[in-house]
Amino acid sequence: MKKEFVVIGLGRFGGSIVRELIELDADVMAIDISSERVDEYAQIATQAVVADTTDESALKSLGIRNFGHVVVAIGDNIQASILTTLMLKEIGVEKITVKAQNDYHEKVLRKIGADQVVHPERDMGIRIANNMVSNNILDYLELSDEHSIAEIKASDKLAGATLIELNIRARYGVNIVAIKRGKQILVSPKAIEKIQREDVLIVIGSDADIHKFEKKALH
Ligand code: ATP
């Protein structure tokens, strides 16, 4: 069975989620208060509906409760974003992801029970900055204020050595959780796995340890 999602708010962020979900073969109900925005998605989404999602009866009549995961991508109108999240929570939606505008917005969203709060602009800024500082860091995903997962290009310096020889966890405090090798992904690689030049290492650790590893181990 196809996965079913609802996306509320069809700005650039919400719109790109709709397109990608459809690309990934999911069913998507796309909702916006603006009929022009909804028209744009009529041919793309499985269903595109004009509705004001701060109106509880409108939400109920759309049968949103039956969808497992709802994304609230209402940007500037913080009040509408909070009210919508609250209504979704009240009608018993299982999982709610909300785009936050700032830290205060996030705090309120968490208090009222949003399961996942995202800051797309801030997170993308962090990823791009990390990639700018080091060409070896391909991607960077914050897990908390201090811990992250990074995708790091292996270097000539590491190539040919096994994980046990490199003793990365003891020396740098980071764990290699997977290795991307071409199209292949080696999850939880064994200690005897030999690193190859073109490998991409997926490492998890504190930000400080990840940067120490990137500086000391690769150059
Ligand atoms: P992005 O940065 O994602 O491009 P944006 O600035 O385009 O965001 P906004 O215009 O702030 O985003 O909001 C996204 C969408 O949410 C808009 O298309 C807007 O019409 C819609 N929206 C706002 N309030 C409501 C509401 N109460 N119910 C449904 N949709 C709403």
Side-chain angles (χ1 to χ4, degrees), residues 14-179:
S16 94
I17 291 184
V18 172
R19 287 173 199 276
E20 191 63 19
L21 286 172
I22 293 288
E23 195 71 21
L24 294 167
D25 205 28
D27 277 338
V28 184
M29 181 193 275
I31 303 175
D32 202 289
I33 199 168
S34 141
S35 57
E36 280 156 39
R37 289 264 160 104
V38 170
D39 283 347
E40 266 182 64
Y41 287 87
Q43 304 297 324
I44 299 165
T46 319
Q47 252 180 299
V49 185
V50 180
D52 177 354
T53 54
T54 60
D55 175 353
E56 193 174 2
S57 59
L59 279 187
K60 281 188 176 150
S61 69
L62 292 171
I64 288 189
R65 197 182 185 288
N66 304 323
F67 291 77
H69 193 162
V70 178
V71 177
V72 182
I74 297 174
D76 293 341
N77 189 343
I78 291 181
Q79 188 175 326
S81 156
I82 291 170
L83 264 176
T84 298
T85 307
L86 197 61
M87 303 288 176
L88 293 169
K89 200 69 201 167
E90 269 180 10
I91 60 177
V93 169
E94 210 176 295
K95 185 160 185 204
I96 310 171
T97 297
V98 193
K99 171 184 167 175
Q101 287 295 92
N102 54 49
D103 290 343
Y104 296 113
H105 188 191
E106 169 164 7
K107 248 189 200 158
V108 176
L109 292 170
R110 294 220 182 267
K111 272 253 154 49
I112 61 177
D115 301 286
Q116 188 182 26
V117 179
V118 293
H119 298 254
E121 292 90 354
R122 190 182 75 185
D123 296 348
M124 195 43 98
I126 291 171
R127 290 160 92 161
I128 291 177
N130 274 281
N131 182 243
M132 285 162 76
V133 167
S134 160
N135 287 332
N136 285 76
I137 297 182
L138 303 177
D139 206 350
Y140 206 82
L141 187 70
E142 271 191 320
L143 295 177
S144 70
D145 283 349
E146 284 171 23
H147 292 84
S148 300
I149 292 182
E151 278 194 12
I152 300 180
K153 248 195 292 184
S155 63
D156 288 347
K157 206 171 151 189
L158 298 186
T162 62
L163 294 180
I164 201 160
E165 285 163 357
L166 294 168
N167 201 13
I168 287 168
R169 190 182 325 166
R171 280 163 76 182
Y172 305 102
V174 299
N175 276 295
I176 297 186
V177 289
I179 298 176

